[in-house]
Amino acid sequence: MTQDDSTRPKRQRKAKQERFPLTLHPGGQWCKKVLGKIEYFGRDQDKALAEWLRVKDDLLAGRARRPNEPDKMSLADLCNLFLKSKAGAVETGYLRQRSWNDYKAECERMLRILGRNVAVDHLNESDFGTLRKSLAKGVNFKTLEGRIVRCRAVFRFGERRRLVAPVLHKMEDELRKPPKAAIDREKGDAIKVFEASEIRLLLANANPQMKSMIFLGINCGMGNEDIAQLTVDNLDLERGWLNKRRAKTGKSRRIPLWKETVDAIQAVLDSRNGEKSKAERLFMTKFGATFNANTKANPISSEFRKLRLSLGIDSSAKTFYTLRHSFKTIGENATGNNVGVDALMGHIDASVSGIYRQFITDERLLEITNAVRTWLFESDKPKAEPKRKPRGK
């Protein structure tokens, strides 16, 4: 005795329906109702299924069926070739893994919106308008800008490789980046700089590992990714220096460490048990794994946020990376040595002077870090009243 469809478990009924998506019409053709309209695909079952799979992205998106041109490259094929090319750039060090992950996420998003099988040559201005509208849902202008830049990179790749017909001109109006003024307005009036008293409060309440990270953020202007990749071999604690290339730019950095920073790092090293290799990461999770700053939920940022909120520092603009903003702001204002600050932060100076400049002296680097240290520990402390001379003397 067979079960009626109405009495079958829901999962079984769903599986049965997904085996073949079309319905046989009384007139003899295979068909499917899409967006309130019945679409027909012929009398041959296999050919009807193939045609449905070919045009379903168009129909579900409300577009007319595109002509069957198998020589035209599909959006899925273009995305795969683009990601393969970028994977090669990661292997050779020209692109960070995190950037590749962002490209992959963008390709997957485009395929969901426009369809996997749609021919790139058949995309029109309306399609790119639909894409932009979908990309903008639930995100701010800055995030939208990044999404649009990555989407356009895929189509630029196809056009330059001559894999598709010229397509960039179709998106000039529909898939344009948000204007800079809109992005600036969205930032609001929040200033991304910590008060010295706030950093001292964070240091006083942080665990040894987070305390070291905070010191590296304000002493060295180091960001999450560089801190996550820092090894014991990058440190010369005896002389108080750190040598580390910035992961994002590949720029070499030589940074003087404060005594407080050295002591905090040494406390982390002393807390470990057993012999440690020089090549080992300086900071490890409580499970003994390395920090991965490339994940969407950045572990360093998450732990810092918990500490910050627990101390009543609830401004959303004051993230862990704000320590880097603070270092640059205070360092430049205190010394006027913008070139030295950029060198400590690992910025690339593409100017003619930057090309000719071979190094910056240790004295100039120390001038900057010492100025930031003075600001941190002494700037907002009440000054002692000057002693008055006794009258008549």
Side-chain angles (χ1 to χ4, degrees), residues 363-379:
E363 290 75 17
R364 295 198 73 192
L365 300 178
L366 281 162
E367 175 193 14
I368 297 166
T369 55
N370 287 339
V372 177
R373 183 186 179 281
T374 299
W375 166 82
L376 176 60
F377 292 111
E378 301 178 17
S379 62

Side-chain angles (χ1 to χ4, degrees), residues 5 8-9 25 44 82 112 152 176 223 233 318:
D5 276 354
R8 290 178 185 272
H25 191 271
D44 185 282
F82 174 80
R112 287 196 301 270
R152 289 176 68 96
R176 63 189 183 280
D233 209 28
K318 294 184 177 181

Side-chain angles (χ1 to χ4, degrees), residues 57-277:
D57 290 332
D58 289 332
L59 296 178
L60 292 173
R63 297 189 295 257
R65 297 191 196 187
R66 310 297 170 99
N68 186 10
E69 297 176 303
D71 58 320
K72 299 292 185 182
M73 175 162 286
S74 69
L75 183 57
D77 289 340
L78 177 61
C79 287
N80 287 334
L81 289 174
F82 174 80
L83 291 175
K84 184 177 180 181
S85 172
K86 292 300 181 183
V90 173
E91 292 174 2
T92 54
Y94 288 101
L95 186 72
R96 294 185 301 159
Q97 181 63 44
R98 182 176 180 178
S99 298
W100 188 90
N101 294 343
D102 290 339
Y103 279 126
K104 182 174 183 290
E106 218 56 67
C107 286
E108 291 173 346
R109 189 177 288 111
M110 275 202 300
L111 294 176
R112 287 196 301 270
I113 297 169
L114 297 176
R116 300 183 59 84
N117 299 318
V118 60
V120 177
D121 289 355
H122 293 159
L123 294 173
N124 56 36
E125 288 81 356
S126 176
D127 295 322
F128 289 119
T130 300
L131 176 60
R132 189 183 192 280
K133 185 177 179 180
S134 298
L135 293 177
K137 286 182 180 178
V139 299
N140 58 31
F141 284 130
K142 186 63 179 176
T143 301
L144 175 61
E145 180 186 39
R147 288 182 173 185
I148 289 176
V149 167
R150 288 187 287 272
C151 287
R152 289 176 68 96
V154 176
F155 294 108
R156 186 179 296 109
F157 167 83
E159 188 171 314
R160 287 180 176 176
R161 296 285 183 94
R162 298 189 178 181
L163 301 171
V164 299
V167 66
L168 292 174
H169 68 279
K170 297 180 182 179
M171 58 184 78
E172 284 303 318
D173 293 327
E174 302 298 339
L175 197 62
R176 63 189 183 280
K177 295 189 294 183
K180 188 176 183 302
I183 297 175
D184 289 340
R185 283 195 301 270
E186 196 173 55
K187 291 179 181 178
D189 298 325
I191 299 176
K192 289 189 173 183
V193 176
F194 279 105
E195 298 290 339
S197 58
E198 291 175 326
I199 299 178
R200 292 198 301 268
L201 181 63
L202 291 163
L203 289 169
N205 291 275
N207 62 44
Q209 187 155 261
M210 179 53 69
K211 183 177 181 179
S212 298
M213 292 179 177
I214 294 172
F215 267 124
L216 289 168
I218 191 60
N219 177 176
C220 310
M222 297 192 78
N224 309 49
E225 187 172 356
D226 282 325
I227 288 176
Q229 295 180 359
L230 195 63
T231 68
V232 178
D233 209 28
N234 295 132
L235 301 166
D236 182 356
L237 296 182
E238 185 176 344
R239 295 180 178 83
W241 287 87
L242 182 151
N243 297 281
K244 174 78 170 68
R245 287 188 180 276
R246 189 183 177 201
K248 184 176 181 179
T249 62
K251 189 72 175 176
S252 180
R253 284 182 290 180
R254 175 171 168 78
I255 306 172
L257 300 176
W258 304 334
K259 181 182 182 301
E260 294 84 356
T261 307
V262 171
D263 291 344
I265 293 173
Q266 190 62 58
V268 172
L269 295 175
D270 291 343
S271 67
R272 293 183 176 174
N273 299 319
E275 294 295 326
K276 296 297 177 182
S277 166

